[in-house]
Amino acid sequence: MTTPGNRTRRDFLIHLTGLGAVLAAPRAALGGRPPAQATLPTRPIPGTAETLPIVGLGSSKPVLEIPTAGTEPLAAVIRVLLEHGGRVVDTSPRTPEIDAEFSGVLTAPEFRDRLFVTMKINTNGEAAGVQQMRQNQMLVGRRTLDLLQVESLRDLDVHWPNVLRWKDEGEARYIGVTVSDNRQHDRFEAVMRSEPIDFVQINYSVMEPQAEDRLLPLAQDLGMAVLINRPFMNGSYFGRVSARTLPGWVSEFDCSTWAQFSLKYILAHPAVTCALTETTNPDHMEDNIGAAFGRLPDEAMKRRMREYVLDF
Protein backbone atom coordinates (compact mmCIF):
# COMPACT_ATOMS: atom_id res chain seq x y z
CA MET A 1 0.00 0.00 0.00
CA THR A 2 1.32 3.45 -0.92
CA THR A 3 1.26 6.05 1.84
CA PRO A 4 1.75 9.84 1.54
CA GLY A 5 5.28 9.43 2.84
CA ASN A 6 6.47 7.00 0.17
CA ARG A 7 4.72 8.09 -3.02
CA THR A 8 6.86 8.01 -6.14
CA ARG A 9 6.53 10.51 -8.98
CA ARG A 10 4.35 7.98 -10.83
CA ASP A 11 2.04 7.80 -7.79
CA PHE A 12 1.99 11.57 -7.68
CA LEU A 13 0.98 11.88 -11.34
CA ILE A 14 -1.75 9.31 -10.86
CA HIS A 15 -2.95 11.19 -7.78
CA LEU A 16 -3.27 14.38 -9.82
CA THR A 17 -4.74 13.19 -13.09
CA GLY A 18 -6.03 9.63 -12.78
CA LEU A 19 -4.30 6.52 -14.03
CA GLY A 20 -6.04 6.36 -17.40
CA ALA A 21 -5.17 9.94 -18.28
CA VAL A 22 -1.52 9.47 -17.39
CA LEU A 23 -1.08 6.28 -19.36
CA ALA A 24 -2.89 7.67 -22.40
CA ALA A 25 -1.24 11.10 -22.46
CA PRO A 26 1.52 11.84 -24.98
CA ARG A 27 4.83 13.05 -23.58
CA ALA A 28 4.13 16.67 -24.45
CA ALA A 29 0.99 16.64 -22.29
CA LEU A 30 2.62 15.37 -19.12
CA GLY A 31 4.05 18.66 -17.95
CA GLY A 32 6.95 20.87 -18.92
CA ARG A 33 8.98 19.31 -21.71
CA PRO A 34 12.13 20.47 -23.45
CA PRO A 35 11.60 22.09 -26.84
CA ALA A 36 11.73 19.63 -29.71
CA GLN A 37 15.32 18.72 -30.62
CA ALA A 38 16.60 21.08 -27.92
CA THR A 39 20.12 20.41 -26.69
CA LEU A 40 20.85 20.57 -22.98
CA PRO A 41 22.91 23.56 -21.84
CA THR A 42 26.39 22.69 -20.65
CA ARG A 43 28.71 23.97 -17.95
CA PRO A 44 32.50 23.70 -17.84
CA ILE A 45 34.54 21.30 -15.76
CA PRO A 46 36.68 23.88 -13.93
CA GLY A 47 40.23 24.14 -15.15
CA THR A 48 39.54 22.25 -18.40
CA ALA A 49 38.15 22.87 -21.85
CA GLU A 50 35.54 20.12 -21.34
CA THR A 51 31.88 20.78 -20.60
CA LEU A 52 29.05 18.59 -19.33
CA PRO A 53 25.28 18.82 -19.90
CA ILE A 54 23.57 20.11 -16.76
CA VAL A 55 21.12 17.20 -16.33
CA GLY A 56 22.26 13.58 -16.11
CA LEU A 57 21.13 10.15 -14.95
CA GLY A 58 21.78 8.69 -11.53
CA SER A 59 21.53 4.97 -12.15
CA SER A 60 21.77 3.38 -8.69
CA LYS A 61 18.08 2.57 -8.29
CA PRO A 62 17.32 1.98 -11.99
CA VAL A 63 20.13 -0.59 -12.18
CA LEU A 64 18.64 -2.48 -9.23
CA GLU A 65 15.42 -2.90 -11.24
CA ILE A 66 17.21 -4.87 -13.96
CA PRO A 67 16.53 -8.33 -12.43
CA THR A 68 12.76 -7.70 -12.52
CA ALA A 69 12.32 -5.22 -15.37
CA GLY A 70 15.21 -6.08 -17.68
CA THR A 71 17.51 -3.52 -19.27
CA GLU A 72 15.14 -1.89 -21.77
CA PRO A 73 13.62 0.70 -19.36
CA LEU A 74 17.10 1.91 -18.48
CA ALA A 75 18.17 1.95 -22.12
CA ALA A 76 15.03 3.93 -23.04
CA VAL A 77 15.86 6.61 -20.48
CA ILE A 78 19.44 6.88 -21.73
CA ARG A 79 18.12 7.29 -25.29
CA VAL A 80 16.00 10.25 -24.18
CA LEU A 81 19.01 11.76 -22.43
CA LEU A 82 21.12 11.40 -25.58
CA GLU A 83 18.35 12.80 -27.79
CA HIS A 84 18.73 16.08 -25.93
CA GLY A 85 22.52 16.12 -25.81
CA GLY A 86 22.84 14.61 -22.35
CA ARG A 87 25.62 12.13 -21.63
CA VAL A 88 26.34 11.93 -17.88
CA VAL A 89 25.47 8.55 -16.32
CA ASP A 90 26.44 8.04 -12.68
CA THR A 91 26.99 4.45 -11.54
CA SER A 92 27.76 2.53 -8.36
CA PRO A 93 29.01 -1.08 -8.06
CA ARG A 94 26.29 -3.70 -7.68
CA THR A 95 26.43 -7.48 -7.82
CA PRO A 96 28.51 -8.95 -10.65
CA GLU A 97 25.33 -10.41 -12.16
CA ILE A 98 23.52 -7.06 -12.27
CA ASP A 99 26.62 -5.22 -13.47
CA ALA A 100 27.05 -7.71 -16.29
CA GLU A 101 23.55 -6.83 -17.53
CA PHE A 102 24.19 -3.11 -17.06
CA SER A 103 27.47 -3.41 -18.94
CA GLY A 104 25.53 -4.69 -21.91
CA VAL A 105 23.66 -1.38 -21.97
CA LEU A 106 26.65 0.91 -21.50
CA THR A 107 28.77 -0.88 -24.11
CA ALA A 108 26.01 -1.24 -26.71
CA PRO A 109 26.99 0.40 -30.02
CA GLU A 110 24.31 3.09 -29.67
CA PHE A 111 25.74 4.25 -26.31
CA ARG A 112 29.35 3.13 -26.02
CA ASP A 113 31.21 6.22 -27.22
CA ARG A 114 28.59 8.83 -26.34
CA LEU A 115 28.44 8.73 -22.54
CA PHE A 116 30.41 10.30 -19.70
CA VAL A 117 30.19 7.46 -17.16
CA THR A 118 31.09 8.10 -13.54
CA MET A 119 32.17 5.17 -11.35
CA LYS A 120 32.60 4.57 -7.65
CA ILE A 121 34.46 2.59 -5.02
CA ASN A 122 32.13 1.87 -2.10
CA THR A 123 33.77 -0.89 -0.11
CA ASN A 124 36.19 -1.34 2.79
CA GLY A 125 39.76 -2.55 2.39
CA GLU A 126 42.39 -1.95 -0.24
CA ALA A 127 42.05 -5.31 -2.01
CA ALA A 128 38.29 -4.92 -2.30
CA GLY A 129 38.76 -1.40 -3.65
CA VAL A 130 41.17 -2.61 -6.32
CA GLN A 131 38.71 -5.34 -7.26
CA GLN A 132 35.94 -2.76 -7.66
CA MET A 133 38.22 -0.64 -9.83
CA ARG A 134 38.71 -3.60 -12.18
CA GLN A 135 34.96 -4.29 -12.07
CA ASN A 136 34.35 -0.66 -13.09
CA GLN A 137 36.69 -0.99 -16.05
CA MET A 138 34.92 -4.13 -17.18
CA LEU A 139 31.56 -2.38 -16.81
CA VAL A 140 32.41 0.21 -19.45
CA GLY A 141 34.78 -1.97 -21.47
CA ARG A 142 37.77 0.34 -21.33
CA ARG A 143 40.88 0.97 -19.27
CA THR A 144 40.43 4.70 -18.72
CA LEU A 145 37.41 5.78 -16.70
CA ASP A 146 35.85 9.21 -17.14
CA LEU A 147 35.46 9.79 -13.40
CA LEU A 148 36.33 7.59 -10.42
CA GLN A 149 34.79 8.54 -7.06
CA VAL A 150 35.08 7.25 -3.51
CA GLU A 151 31.46 6.92 -2.41
CA SER A 152 30.28 8.45 0.89
CA LEU A 153 33.90 8.84 2.10
CA ARG A 154 33.97 5.08 2.68
CA ASP A 155 37.45 3.97 3.76
CA LEU A 156 38.76 7.06 1.99
CA ASP A 157 42.18 7.02 3.68
CA VAL A 158 42.77 3.52 2.30
CA HIS A 159 41.42 4.06 -1.21
CA TRP A 160 42.60 7.59 -1.97
CA PRO A 161 46.30 6.82 -2.56
CA ASN A 162 45.28 4.25 -5.19
CA VAL A 163 42.77 6.68 -6.75
CA LEU A 164 45.53 9.27 -7.09
CA ARG A 165 47.86 6.69 -8.63
CA TRP A 166 45.22 5.50 -11.09
CA LYS A 167 44.75 9.07 -12.28
CA ASP A 168 48.51 9.56 -12.64
CA GLU A 169 48.74 6.32 -14.64
CA GLY A 170 45.88 7.26 -16.97
CA GLU A 171 43.25 4.87 -15.62
CA ALA A 172 40.95 7.72 -14.55
CA ARG A 173 40.58 11.08 -16.27
CA TYR A 174 39.02 12.71 -13.22
CA ILE A 175 38.75 11.72 -9.57
CA GLY A 176 36.34 12.70 -6.83
CA VAL A 177 34.49 11.99 -3.61
CA THR A 178 30.76 11.75 -2.90
CA VAL A 179 28.44 12.44 0.02
CA SER A 180 24.67 11.98 0.33
CA ASP A 181 24.03 12.69 4.00
CA ASN A 182 24.08 16.08 5.71
CA ARG A 183 25.73 14.49 8.75
CA GLN A 184 28.88 13.89 6.67
CA HIS A 185 29.21 17.47 5.44
CA ASP A 186 31.74 18.58 8.06
CA ARG A 187 34.12 15.74 7.26
CA PHE A 188 33.49 16.23 3.55
CA GLU A 189 34.48 19.88 3.83
CA ALA A 190 37.75 18.90 5.50
CA VAL A 191 38.51 16.46 2.67
CA MET A 192 37.73 19.11 0.06
CA ARG A 193 40.20 21.45 1.69
CA SER A 194 42.99 18.90 1.95
CA GLU A 195 42.89 16.75 -1.21
CA PRO A 196 43.34 17.40 -4.96
CA ILE A 197 39.77 16.63 -6.02
CA ASP A 198 38.39 17.20 -9.52
CA PHE A 199 34.72 16.42 -8.77
CA VAL A 200 32.58 16.47 -5.68
CA GLN A 201 29.15 14.85 -5.57
CA ILE A 202 26.81 16.35 -2.97
CA ASN A 203 23.20 15.96 -1.83
CA TYR A 204 21.31 19.21 -2.50
CA SER A 205 17.71 20.21 -3.24
CA VAL A 206 15.03 22.73 -2.33
CA MET A 207 14.15 20.58 0.71
CA GLU A 208 17.79 19.72 1.48
CA PRO A 209 19.60 23.02 0.85
CA GLN A 210 22.35 22.80 3.47
CA ALA A 211 25.15 22.33 0.92
CA GLU A 212 24.74 25.90 -0.27
CA ASP A 213 25.95 27.24 3.09
CA ARG A 214 29.56 26.03 2.79
CA LEU A 215 30.17 23.13 0.40
CA LEU A 216 28.97 24.65 -2.86
CA PRO A 217 30.79 27.99 -2.36
CA LEU A 218 33.91 26.06 -1.36
CA ALA A 219 33.73 23.96 -4.53
CA GLN A 220 33.59 27.19 -6.54
CA ASP A 221 36.55 28.65 -4.67
CA LEU A 222 38.64 25.49 -5.13
CA GLY A 223 37.70 24.94 -8.80
CA MET A 224 35.90 21.62 -8.34
CA ALA A 225 33.14 20.36 -10.61
CA VAL A 226 29.92 19.54 -8.74
CA LEU A 227 27.50 16.68 -9.34
CA ILE A 228 24.23 16.79 -7.37
CA ASN A 229 22.54 13.67 -5.99
CA ARG A 230 19.18 13.29 -4.20
CA PRO A 231 17.41 16.07 -6.17
CA PHE A 232 14.15 14.36 -5.15
CA MET A 233 15.45 12.94 -1.84
CA ASN A 234 15.37 9.38 -3.18
CA GLY A 235 11.72 9.85 -4.14
CA SER A 236 10.41 11.02 -0.76
CA TYR A 237 10.13 14.56 -2.18
CA PHE A 238 7.11 13.56 -4.28
CA GLY A 239 5.34 12.10 -1.26
CA ARG A 240 5.77 15.42 0.54
CA VAL A 241 4.48 17.60 -2.31
CA SER A 242 1.73 15.27 -3.58
CA ALA A 243 -1.08 16.94 -1.64
CA ARG A 244 0.13 20.47 -2.38
CA THR A 245 -0.57 22.88 -5.19
CA LEU A 246 2.23 24.13 -7.40
CA PRO A 247 2.05 27.92 -6.86
CA GLY A 248 1.22 30.16 -9.78
CA TRP A 249 4.36 32.22 -9.34
CA VAL A 250 6.52 29.36 -10.66
CA SER A 251 5.70 30.64 -14.15
CA GLU A 252 8.16 33.46 -13.37
CA PHE A 253 10.99 30.94 -13.84
CA ASP A 254 9.34 28.75 -16.48
CA CYS A 255 8.50 25.85 -14.15
CA SER A 256 5.49 23.61 -14.73
CA THR A 257 5.99 20.51 -12.55
CA TRP A 258 7.12 19.68 -9.03
CA ALA A 259 10.15 17.84 -10.42
CA GLN A 260 11.24 21.00 -12.20
CA PHE A 261 10.62 23.02 -9.03
CA SER A 262 13.45 21.20 -7.26
CA LEU A 263 15.70 20.87 -10.30
CA LYS A 264 15.48 24.55 -11.20
CA TYR A 265 16.34 25.41 -7.61
CA ILE A 266 19.44 23.21 -7.91
CA LEU A 267 20.51 24.40 -11.35
CA ALA A 268 20.22 28.04 -10.30
CA HIS A 269 23.33 27.63 -8.14
CA PRO A 270 26.40 28.62 -10.20
CA ALA A 271 28.60 25.95 -8.57
CA VAL A 272 26.46 23.10 -9.92
CA THR A 273 27.86 21.33 -12.98
CA CYS A 274 25.24 18.59 -13.39
CA ALA A 275 22.18 17.36 -11.48
CA LEU A 276 21.72 13.58 -11.45
CA THR A 277 18.12 12.35 -11.67
CA GLU A 278 17.03 8.73 -11.18
CA THR A 279 14.24 7.25 -13.28
CA THR A 280 13.40 4.42 -15.68
CA ASN A 281 10.49 6.36 -17.17
CA PRO A 282 11.30 8.25 -20.41
CA ASP A 283 8.51 10.76 -19.74
CA HIS A 284 9.99 11.59 -16.37
CA MET A 285 13.42 12.02 -17.92
CA GLU A 286 11.99 14.46 -20.47
CA ASP A 287 10.33 16.35 -17.64
CA ASN A 288 13.67 16.49 -15.80
CA ILE A 289 15.46 17.71 -18.90
CA GLY A 290 12.80 20.40 -19.32
CA ALA A 291 14.07 22.01 -16.09
CA ALA A 292 17.26 23.00 -17.91
CA PHE A 293 15.40 25.31 -20.31
CA GLY A 294 13.91 28.74 -19.74
CA ARG A 295 14.56 31.00 -16.80
CA LEU A 296 16.05 29.93 -13.46
CA PRO A 297 15.08 31.43 -10.10
CA ASP A 298 17.17 34.25 -8.65
CA GLU A 299 18.18 34.37 -4.98
CA ALA A 300 15.01 36.13 -3.88
CA MET A 301 12.89 33.55 -5.64
CA LYS A 302 14.94 30.69 -4.17
CA ARG A 303 14.16 32.03 -0.69
CA ARG A 304 10.50 32.08 -1.60
CA MET A 305 10.72 28.50 -2.84
CA ARG A 306 12.37 27.32 0.39
CA GLU A 307 9.78 29.08 2.50
CA TYR A 308 6.93 27.58 0.49
CA VAL A 309 8.08 23.99 1.08
CA LEU A 310 9.34 24.53 4.63
CA ASP A 311 6.32 22.91 6.31
CA PHE A 312 5.61 20.24 3.70
Side-chain angles (χ1 to χ4, degrees), residues 138-298:
M138 292 177 63
L139 184 71
V140 290
R142 59 177 185 259
R143 176 178 181 269
T144 302
L145 306 181
D146 291 316
L147 168 61
L148 178 64
Q149 306 161 101
V150 178
E151 184 172 0
S152 299
L153 304 171
R154 188 170 179 181
D155 218 1
L156 180 67
D157 292 342
V158 170
H159 299 310
W160 195 246
N162 283 334
V163 170
L164 290 170
R165 176 172 57 82
W166 287 325
K167 181 182 178 182
D168 287 343
E169 294 177 353
E171 295 191 69
R173 297 172 56 217
Y174 302 106
I175 56 175
V177 184
T178 85
V179 68
S180 59
D181 189 325
N182 292 336
R183 293 170 296 183
Q184 292 184 307
H185 283 192
D186 288 343
R187 184 185 172 204
F188 197 73
E189 180 181 357
V191 171
M192 289 174 65
R193 292 183 182 279
S194 64
E195 300 298 336
I197 297 171
D198 301 315
F199 276 76
V200 290
Q201 186 178 139
I202 307 170
N203 56 303
Y204 177 55
S205 72
V206 67
M207 288 188 181
E208 223 172 47
Q210 291 85 347
E212 65 192 27
D213 294 336
R214 300 194 317 274
L215 297 186
L216 292 177
L218 181 60
Q220 279 186 285
D221 291 344
L222 297 176
M224 297 175 182
V226 178
L227 302 179
I228 298 300
N229 60 42
R230 288 177 55 88
F232 309 130
M233 300 165 65
N234 287 347
S236 66
Y237 169 81
F238 294 106
R240 293 172 66 174
V241 302
S242 64
R244 308 288 180 148
T245 300
L246 195 67
W249 43 261
V250 300
S251 62
E252 296 179 31
F253 54 94
D254 301 312
C255 172
S256 58
T257 68
W258 276 115
Q260 293 182 6
F261 188 88
S262 187
L263 287 171
K264 280 182 173 284
Y265 183 94
I266 293 165
L267 295 174
H269 200 292
V272 172
T273 309
C274 178
L276 303 168
T277 67
E278 294 204 13
T279 182
T280 53
N281 185 316
D283 290 322
H284 295 171
M285 178 53 78
E286 286 208 12
D287 185 20
N288 297 338
I289 290 170
F293 298 92
R295 293 166 293 182
L296 294 173
D298 60 17

Side-chain angles (χ1 to χ4, degrees), residues 66-84:
I66 288 176
T68 55
T71 59
E72 181 51 33
L74 189 55
V77 166
I78 295 175
R79 288 189 193 102
V80 171
L81 191 66
L82 287 169
E83 284 172 7
H84 293 285

Side-chain angles (χ1 to χ4, degrees), residues 25-41:
R27 290 183 184 180
L30 285 173
R33 295 293 184 244
Q37 306 303 314
T39 299
L40 276 164

